[in-house]
Amino acid sequence: MKKYLILYYSKTGNSKFIAEKLSKELGCDSKKIIPVIDSLAVLFLLSLMKTGIPTNISKKEIENYSEVIIVGPVWGGLLISPLRNTLKKCIRASKNIHFAVTCETKDEEKNNKYGYAKVLNKAKGLGAKFVQTTEAFSTSLVNVDNKAWSPKRSEKIKITEENFNAVLKSRLSDFAIKIKSFEEQQINFSGNKH
Ligand SMILES: Cc1cc2nc3c(=O)[nH]c(=O)nc-3n(C[C@H](O)[C@H](O)[C@H](O)COP(=O)(O)O)c2cc1C
């Protein structure tokens, strides 16, 4: 069985960028989550209704891996529908999950209405004992104008090779370390049992 699988949903490329960097760092497979309907309006509505949407990811393929890393954006301070569906599939497959979001709100605003804290907590609540690690990658870390995300702001900041700075790099490698150290804890724990 392979160790890690990264599953990501991405509309404008930020989550794809982070997922691909992480896949290099962990040396593992990554796959894009494709919902059966990929319209922002439909997905947003389903996210508001706390409903998962069916996707191209099957429980069977998840079963080939021992841990899954899920990456995707925050929309309207919600756990978005394709991520909810993927989380549930991983839980049904009894897989340990590491869950990360990309977003625009800053760390200082993480507890606000549109902040990422609520979304990470939702994932933890849904995943019960399976969600082991969470992380957020905010575009504010590369954003120079320092304005918070609001529904009125239309321009979207993209994380690119050019602005993938030291702060984001170290957050990514810290996340990879947390993921790997979870595995080590498991080994130590089962080792201590004998
Ligand atoms: C419809 C929509 C709603 C969004 N809502 C939020 C939000 O509530 N909080 C936030 O921090 N960012 C929000 N954002 C910004 C995205 O989370 C951010 O740009 C993310 O990195 C996009 O990921 P992607 O490029 O992988 O699609 C929103 C973006 C869109 C398009």
Side-chain angles (χ1 to χ4, degrees):
M1 188 188 286
K2 288 194 198 170
K3 187 75 204 150
Y4 303 117
L5 170 65
I6 301 177
L7 296 175
Y8 67 91
Y9 177 76
S10 189
K11 201 78 176 159
T12 59
N14 291 335
S15 307
K16 179 174 190 273
F17 185 94
I18 294 296
E20 285 174 351
K21 287 283 176 202
L22 199 59
S23 145
K24 275 204 189 123
E25 186 102 9
L26 294 170
C28 68
D29 298 336
S30 68
K31 186 167 178 179
K32 184 175 182 177
I33 301 167
I34 305 170
V36 288
I37 303 168
D38 202 8
S39 132
L40 196 143
V42 171
L43 293 178
F44 200 92
L45 193 68
L46 289 174
S47 307
L48 269 173
M49 291 160 65
K50 300 185 170 62
T51 306
I53 186 162
T55 71
N56 60 327
I57 310 295
S58 70
K59 178 170 166 264
K60 209 164 176 309
E61 65 186 303
I62 291 171
E63 281 163 355
N64 294 324
Y65 296 83
S66 49
E67 294 177 33
V68 182
I69 298 131
I70 302 174
V71 187
V74 172
W75 289 350
L78 300 164
L79 171 62
I80 67 163
S81 181
L83 300 187
R84 180 181 288 272
N85 176 278
T86 308
L87 263 165
K88 285 193 174 166
K89 261 180 216 146
C90 295
I91 294 160
R92 280 203 299 276
S94 301
K95 296 297 169 187
N96 284 311
I97 304 160
H98 307 278
F99 184 85
V101 289
T102 67
C103 59
E104 287 185 8
T105 42
K106 297 185 227 165
D107 291 339
E108 305 88 280
E109 299 154 348
K110 68 178 180 183
N111 294 314
N112 294 358
K113 189 175 174 195
Y114 298 110
Y116 61 78
K118 206 170 61 175
V119 181
L120 298 184
N121 286 333
K122 262 262 151 17
K124 280 191 217 152
L126 203 71
K129 59 185 177 151
F130 292 108
V131 176
Q132 308 300 345
T133 314
T134 57
E135 192 51 275
F137 298 90
S138 171
T139 56
S140 68
L141 300 172
V142 299
N143 179 12
V144 282
D145 71 7
N146 254 346
K147 278 186 214 138
W149 186 85
S150 83
K152 287 191 194 109
R153 272 189 89 196
S154 57
E155 86 267 31
K156 293 280 155 269
I157 302 130
K158 284 201 71 168
I159 307 173
T160 63
E161 230 24 273
E162 288 67 44
N163 63 23
F164 187 54
N165 59 18
V167 186
L168 268 174
K169 277 182 191 156
S170 90
R171 190 160 295 201
L172 190 102
S173 73
D174 286 352
F175 185 45
I177 289 166
K178 279 199 276 178
I179 292 169
K180 287 191 218 156
S181 64
F182 170 73
E183 182 195 359
E184 280 154 25
Q185 280 166 27
Q186 296 293 97
I187 295 165
N188 291 341
F189 179 67
S190 54
N192 288 342
K193 281 204 294 195
H194 299 296

